[in-house]
Amino acid sequence: MSDVTVQNEPAMKAESASPPAPAGSAPVATAAASGVPASSPDPSLPAGKSTYSGDCVFNDSITVFAGNPLPVYDKGPVKAYAARGTDKAPSNLFAMICEDHLTPRSSKASNYAAILNPSLVRLVASGPIDWAPAGKQKYCFVYENSLGNPLMRDDIHGTGGLRPEVVLNGVIKPFISVLQDMRDKDIVHGNIRASNIFDGGNRSLERCVFGECLSLPVSYNQPSIYEPIDRALASPAGRGTGTIQDDIYSFGVAIAMLMRHSDPVEGLSDDEIVVRKMEDGSYNTLVGRDRFSGAILELLRGTLHDDDRQRWTIDDILVWADGRRLSPKQATRRSKAARPIVLNGEKYIRPELLARDLHKNAPEARQLIENGEMEQWLIRALEDKAAIARYETALKQAEDSGKGSSYAEQLITRVGIALHPEGPIRYKNINVFPDGVGVALVEAYLMKRDIQSYIDFFLHYFITQWIDAQSQTVPDVGNLVSRFDGARAYLRQKNIGSGLEKCLYAMNTEVHCLSDKLAKFHVRSPEDMMQAFEKISRQPGRPAMFFDRHIIAFLSVKDRKNIDPYTHELGQPEPYKRILGEMRTLATIQKRSQMQAFPGIAGWIVDNLSPVYERFHDRELREDLRKKVDRIKDSGDLARLVVLFDNPITYQEDNIGFRRAMRDYHDLEQENGDIHRQLRDESSIGKDTGRQVAAVVSGILAGIIILATAFTMFGGGAPPF
């Protein structure tokens, strides 16, 4: 995919070019009819200078106009903006600018882009961009603007009133192929609803288009009415990755919304709609007094089945599309007690709703459990042997965990799992499915909510009870348990590279690095980090050191081979050890990823090397190393810098020379001491020297006498002197 650029331009106004609806067709609830502003920017407008104060251009392939928002394409907190492409990129585009606390699904971008289906908005590019309004990088998805206007605006109480044949030909048949393509690419859309289905610029609805889905976590922006009952009870950030069966359910809801003429849930809250679904089933709740017949009725009943095991699959829908009749599957009834149990002044006959509300009054819920009233209700009123067995297991596990300060919350969490095993895990302010806890944790961390609840959530280890309580096999259960095991281990470790920081990145592998040092960059990989550091190196006021706990944890999760060999050094109190550990880590990333030169990083490292130089005892060696470093740093080859300080012979020779110098110094100290001791004894000053001089003089005189005697005796003559 092409690179993304961003530039701001004044808002460009465009009028909808949709033709009038043909005679006899049902009215279409388009954006124009609903008062929603037209969404398609005029691609003929020149890309001139912007009056927006924060203009920023990344490259020349795509331009995003921050001054031209497209609210009709917004996805909750994620906003849409007009964009234009040049060269090979389409000219008419729009961009979704993601929010940091809502992890975008960047890992699915390549699979999504490989889907070539005219009924799915085409992804043109994705990646971090320099977003001027925020003064930092943000992740961005750029799509071809072939959407037109949304079919509906109100996703909860909407009534499209479209004729069955219009929906069949313009919505259902095209979208069957989209769902099949997404299943084959292992992508859950998670954003299927009436307001995210567009007319493609043609009000006759010949072929509608699914809107985008990657800029938010799965189902984050979905109204709960579009979610199956159990998923609707979780918090938006905690709904997890979902499955294609959830998309099929949302598809059925959207079809019902587009076709119905009345709203059977008018005036009901989200919680009341969930209760109505439990009582009457999703089909009856959504369709109400409207009556459909024939093939459409079959499709709605099949896709809106509340039991995902009985709900139609893609293959079932394909069989239906081929004209074959399928036997309708009977809706299964949820368990309901013969008499209610009272909690917090409310009466409950359904265990799912009781599990949902236990945390509303934890002391009273604990009392119901400990006085045996809840057990009696399960045995006598609910008569569900499986639920009773799960309840007894929950009590035992809570007892085994000990009665600490959070015992009441832990107890009702475990009881909640026993009462509603298919639902989310609820602990204090947490309401998540296990595969959604990573997204919810990042959201809570960046929004500065209570993080201690998440720490307790992992340490109490509810995951095994939740898995054991499921009536069907949990997908990829081994990986799920492994991630929770790792999270609990990281939280128990206090050393650098572990703790909550590593838990964040291990539980949510798509989150960018959350270090304050990289706050202006959207770093998703070690390579991104290197590019960010290179830019930071040229900025005034850069940090003294490269790494902190977040960066170390991030690198360890992304590719442990880059940093784990040096984690011990990075956690040491001695500055020189940390500096060498950082240098070795950065050099390893550069070498393993075969990246370009980083002269800025090299210069940054060199500026930090004073504690490393001080390790060497030889002044001349230090000066020599400084000269070599200065020659290498401009090349940006970090591995060459590392080699200078990783040569064991250099350290060995320096240590040998230092020990030799110490011995010489010791000898000189001893000699100096001896001299000072002698000088302190005045009576003996000069005597030793005099004796030595006298001995020398005496020796010389004795030698002369001996020579003279020898000449006299053997030479017979007088001495020569």
Side-chain angles (χ1 to χ4, degrees):
M1 291 182 286
S2 60
D3 292 327
V4 178
T5 63
V6 63
Q7 176 178 313
N8 305 299
E9 186 167 291
M12 300 181 296
K13 297 181 180 179
E15 298 294 333
S16 174
S18 301
S25 66
V28 179
T30 61
S34 317
V36 179
S39 59
S40 299
D42 185 355
S44 65
L45 291 176
K49 294 183 179 180
S50 171
T51 58
Y52 194 88
S53 60
D55 289 358
C56 178
V57 178
F58 187 68
N59 63 19
D60 297 328
S61 61
I62 296 173
T63 304
V64 179
F65 305 109
N68 187 11
L70 302 177
V72 72
Y73 297 157
D74 288 350
K75 297 295 181 291
V78 175
K79 306 303 180 183
Y81 297 86
R84 178 183 290 113
T86 58
D87 298 331
K88 296 181 180 180
S91 60
N92 192 15
L93 306 169
F94 72 95
M96 304 298 298
I97 306 300
C98 301
E99 292 296 320
D100 291 342
H101 67 283
L102 300 174
T103 311
R105 300 162 63 192
S106 55
S107 64
K108 297 296 183 181
S110 59
N111 284 0
Y112 183 101
I115 299 176
L116 302 178
N117 192 314
S119 294
L120 181 66
V121 62
R122 185 167 77 89
L123 179 64
V124 176
S126 66
I129 63 172
D130 294 320
W131 188 238
K136 58 185 289 188
Q137 285 186 345
K138 289 200 171 190
Y139 202 84
C140 176
F141 293 97
V142 180
Y143 296 92
E144 186 173 5
N145 194 350
S146 59
L147 293 177
N149 296 307
L151 301 190
M152 288 177 59
R153 186 175 185 181
D154 191 338
D155 279 315
I156 300 177
H157 302 294
T159 54
L162 299 179
R163 293 183 302 172
E165 59 269 23
V166 173
V167 176
L168 177 63
N169 294 320
V171 179
I172 296 174
K173 288 183 177 179
F175 287 0
I176 291 173
S177 64
V178 172
L179 290 172
Q180 186 179 16
D181 288 341
M182 298 198 79
R183 178 200 63 181
D184 294 343
K185 294 295 184 181
D186 191 29
I187 300 175
V188 176
H189 192 285
N191 215 4
I192 299 173
R193 59 181 183 277
S195 66
N196 200 33
I197 299 175
F198 298 83
D199 61 15
N202 188 339
R203 293 188 63 187
S204 64
L205 304 188
E206 294 179 359
R207 179 182 290 276
C208 295
V209 182
F210 267 156
E212 75 92 29
C213 64
L214 299 178
S215 61
L216 284 168
V218 173
S219 299
Y220 182 86
N221 202 43
Q222 282 284 70
S224 60
I225 196 171
Y226 281 86
E227 290 291 296
I229 293 172
D230 298 325
R231 285 176 59 81
L233 294 172
S235 64
R239 288 171 175 166
T241 56
T243 67
I244 191 66
Q245 290 301 97
D246 302 323
D247 275 347
I248 290 173
Y249 181 90
S250 301
F251 181 50
V253 176
I255 295 170
M257 292 277 196
L258 292 172
M259 294 178 58
R260 70 187 187 182
H261 293 80
S262 62
D263 177 17
V265 296
E266 184 176 2
L268 298 184
S269 66
D270 287 348
D271 286 344
E272 290 170 332
I273 292 173
V274 169
V275 174
R276 179 74 65 85
K277 286 183 179 182
M278 290 182 180
E279 295 289 345
D280 301 333
S282 290
Y283 175 83
N284 293 324
T285 299
L286 293 165
V287 173
R289 295 190 301 271
D290 283 285
R291 292 292 177 263
F292 305 112
S293 60
I296 291 290
L297 175 62
E298 275 190 4
L299 178 67
L300 287 175
R301 288 195 178 277
T303 56
L304 292 176
H305 205 294
D306 288 316
D307 186 347
D308 62 353
R309 292 168 294 186
Q310 300 296 318
R311 191 178 304 144
W312 277 10
T313 64
I314 290 293
D315 294 330
D316 291 330
I317 297 176
L318 290 171
V319 169
W320 170 86
D322 288 338
R324 292 171 55 186
R325 304 283 294 186
L326 296 176
S327 300
K329 298 177 179 179
Q330 296 297 320
T332 55
R333 293 282 182 178
R334 288 177 174 260
S335 299
K336 183 167 65 172
R339 64 174 178 83
I341 186 172
V342 179
L343 172 69
N344 204 29
E346 298 288 335
K347 295 180 179 180
Y348 296 88
I349 60 174
R350 293 193 179 276
E352 300 97 327
L353 300 178
L354 178 60
R356 178 196 64 184
D357 293 344
L358 286 174
H359 289 282
K360 291 183 177 179
N361 192 334
E364 184 179 343
R366 178 179 180 179
Q367 184 178 359
L368 283 177
I369 296 167
E370 293 185 338
N371 66 17
E373 185 176 346
M374 187 174 292
E375 184 175 9
Q376 291 300 316
W377 178 74
L378 288 171
I379 295 172
R380 296 178 181 178
L382 194 61
E383 296 181 350
D384 186 337
K385 293 182 179 179
I388 295 169
R390 293 193 301 265
Y391 180 80
E392 292 173 349
T393 301
L395 295 183
K396 184 178 184 305
Q397 290 178 329
E399 190 72 24
D400 292 343
S401 298
K403 294 189 177 182
S405 59
S406 60
Y407 173 74
E409 293 287 354
Q410 182 200 161
L411 174 65
I412 60 178
T413 296
R414 295 191 182 279
V415 169
I417 294 172
L419 294 174
H420 186 199
E422 297 82 12
I425 302 175
R426 305 169 180 92
Y427 178 78
K428 294 185 178 180
N429 59 331
I430 301 171
N431 184 7
V432 299
F433 283 94
D435 59 349
V437 68
V439 170
L441 174 60
V442 169
E443 182 192 36
Y445 181 85
L446 289 177
M447 299 303 288
K448 302 193 182 303
R449 297 173 187 157
D450 179 21
I451 296 299
Q452 186 59 45
S453 296
Y454 283 90
I455 295 174
D456 295 341
F457 181 90
F458 290 114
L459 295 178
H460 288 320
Y461 205 65
F462 301 117
I463 182 64
T464 52
Q465 181 192 346
W466 186 87
I467 291 173
D468 293 340
Q470 301 308 302
S471 59
Q472 53 185 318
T473 304
V474 177
D476 200 12
V477 64
N479 179 54
L480 187 63
V481 172
S482 176
R483 287 167 59 200
F484 273 81
D485 284 342
R488 185 164 63 162
Y490 302 145
L491 291 172
R492 287 174 172 171
Q493 298 169 6
K494 302 303 180 183
N495 56 297
I496 195 166
S498 294
L500 177 64
E501 293 83 7
K502 191 164 186 177
C503 188
L504 280 165
Y505 302 111
M507 295 303 297
N508 187 346
T509 55
E510 291 194 277
V511 68
H512 63 288
C513 184
L514 305 179
S515 169
D516 290 339
K517 296 184 178 185
L518 300 172
K520 293 186 179 296
F521 299 88
H522 195 92
V523 171
R524 297 173 300 128
S525 67
E527 292 76 19
D528 288 347
M529 186 197 70
M530 296 294 289
Q531 300 291 354
F533 278 150
E534 183 67 13
K535 293 178 181 178
I536 293 173
S537 70
R538 297 189 289 269
Q539 297 176 356
R542 69 188 181 196
M545 302 289 286
F546 289 87
F547 295 170
D548 57 18
R549 292 185 66 92
H550 268 289
I551 293 175
I552 294 171
F554 175 81
L555 290 175
S556 182
V557 170
K558 290 300 180 182
D559 191 345
R560 58 186 304 175
K561 293 181 180 178
N562 283 329
I563 194 169
D564 279 11
Y566 316 114
T567 302
H568 178 72
E569 294 176 279
L570 294 170
Q572 295 301 305
E574 297 89 344
Y576 79 88
K577 289 185 178 180
R578 297 199 303 273
I579 293 167
L580 288 174
E582 289 187 346
M583 180 168 61
R584 288 163 180 156
T585 301
L586 296 170
T588 300
I589 296 172
Q590 183 188 35
K591 184 176 181 179
R592 292 185 70 229
S593 300
Q594 298 181 347
M595 301 186 74
Q596 75 277 14
F598 292 108
I601 294 178
W604 188 351
I605 291 173
V606 170
D607 291 345
N608 290 341
L609 285 178
S610 293
V612 179
Y613 291 135
E614 294 302 320
R615 289 188 63 213
F616 296 98
H617 309 93
D618 190 333
R619 186 183 300 108
E620 293 181 358
L621 176 59
R622 289 200 296 265
E623 292 303 319
D624 183 56
L625 284 173
R626 282 193 174 93
K627 292 177 181 178
K628 290 180 179 178
V629 164
D630 289 339
R631 288 196 296 268
I632 292 174
K633 69 177 183 180
D634 292 337
S635 71
D637 189 343
L638 307 184
R640 291 179 62 192
L641 285 177
V642 171
V643 168
L644 290 178
F645 298 96
D646 272 358
N647 188 349
I649 296 177
T650 302
Y651 292 98
Q652 184 179 7
E653 291 179 348
D654 182 65
N655 286 328
I656 291 173
F658 180 64
R659 287 196 296 268
R660 183 185 301 115
M662 288 183 65
R663 287 195 300 269
D664 293 343
Y665 180 80
H666 180 264
D667 293 342
L668 290 173
E669 279 288 309
Q670 284 188 327
E671 184 176 348
N672 183 60
D674 292 341
I675 293 172
H676 278 79
R677 283 193 297 273
Q678 293 172 4
L679 291 175
R680 285 196 295 270
D681 187 0
E682 296 181 358
S683 62
S684 62
I685 293 177
K687 290 182 179 180
D688 290 341
T689 304
R691 293 191 187 99
Q692 292 174 1
V693 172
V696 171
V697 172
S698 300
I700 293 172
L701 292 175
I704 293 173
I705 293 171
I706 292 171
L707 288 174
T709 304
F711 275 111
T712 302
M713 293 178 61
F714 300 103
F721 48 81

